[in-house]
Amino acid sequence: SIDKPSRRRRLPHHPPPTRLLATFVLRLTSMPDLTTATDEAKAKRRMEIEAKLSDLRLQQAKETEQKAAYFGEHAGITCDGCGVAIIGYRYKCKDCSNHDVCENCYDTHLSGRVNNSLGKQVISNKVEDHRFALHKDKGFTPLVKKAPGLTEAKSARVKPNDPCSCGSNKKFKKCCGAGKAA
């Protein structure tokens, strides 16, 4: 019996691992420093995101503060959608003569339906015919108290020894403040 020569597959030639590592290190050291450029780009992007986030938080705080001024009991006003006395936010239609809804019925309106279950008045059932806005009138009683210092800036009190604001270069107590009790 004649032995057949074994057919071994030849593997492609790969350089030894130490040589690969040396080549990789050589290429890295010859390249410009990309890590600092990417770090700088990341830091710049992070700063942009933080600025946008702080602006958004400030805007949300202002909106919350403004909405708090409309949150309360609206005496004698009932919701045209559900018939309940409005306590909370009152939304008045800018297009209809007398159409008020509570917050729940306003949310229903935003979802695409007009709620007029009471039938007190004839109103359009088309959503596009109504434009609601927050509203308060004389009978309004707020339920949220304003936090001191957040909503109003204190006016600077003029002290007696401060220069007078009229431009006379005199002290306030000797000029415009003369005769006023300090």
Side-chain angles (χ1 to χ4, degrees):
S1 92
I2 302 176
D3 289 335
K4 293 182 181 177
S6 65
R7 294 189 182 195
R8 290 200 288 166
R9 282 187 348 166
R10 293 188 176 227
L11 297 174
H13 175 69
H14 291 293
T18 54
R19 190 169 165 197
L20 278 176
L21 182 62
T23 307
F24 180 71
V25 169
L26 180 65
R27 285 184 184 165
L28 271 181
T29 55
S30 65
M31 295 177 87
D33 193 12
L34 296 176
T35 56
T36 57
T38 56
D39 289 344
E40 289 173 4
K42 286 180 183 178
K44 183 179 178 183
R45 181 70 177 141
R46 186 175 295 119
M47 294 286 282
E48 291 173 0
I49 291 171
E50 287 174 357
K52 287 180 182 179
L53 185 61
S54 66
D55 289 343
L56 182 63
R57 286 181 179 154
L58 181 64
Q59 180 182 0
Q60 286 176 340
K62 284 182 181 177
E63 287 175 1
T64 303
E65 185 178 324
Q66 289 171 348
K67 283 185 87 173
Y70 292 93
F71 188 83
E73 185 175 353
H74 303 271
I77 307 296
T78 57
C79 175
D80 293 333
C82 59
V84 177
I86 298 179
I87 296 176
Y89 295 115
R90 172 186 175 189
Y91 293 89
K92 186 168 180 69
C93 182
K94 293 180 177 181
D95 299 327
C96 301
S97 61
N98 186 20
H99 184 50
D100 302 301
V101 294
C102 65
E103 188 173 7
N104 292 335
C105 292
Y106 177 72
D107 291 339
T108 303
H109 169 76
L110 291 179
S111 68
R113 292 182 295 144
V114 176
N115 191 3
N116 188 20
S117 59
L118 290 180
K120 286 183 180 179
Q121 58 186 350
V122 177
I123 60 170
S124 172
N125 287 331
K126 295 180 182 177
V127 175
E128 47 284 341
D129 291 343
H130 302 283
R131 294 181 303 133
F132 289 102
L134 283 171
H135 183 75
K136 64 180 178 181
D137 56 4
K138 295 176 192 172
F140 173 75
T141 306
L143 295 177
V144 178
K145 294 186 178 184
K146 294 181 180 180
L150 292 178
T151 56
E152 306 167 352
K154 287 187 175 182
S155 60
R157 183 177 174 267
V158 180
K159 297 179 183 173
N161 289 327
D162 287 345
C164 189
S165 60
C166 70
S168 65
N169 291 330
K170 293 181 180 179
K171 290 183 178 182
F172 177 74
K173 67 181 179 183
K174 299 281 185 178
C175 186
C176 295
K180 293 183 182 179

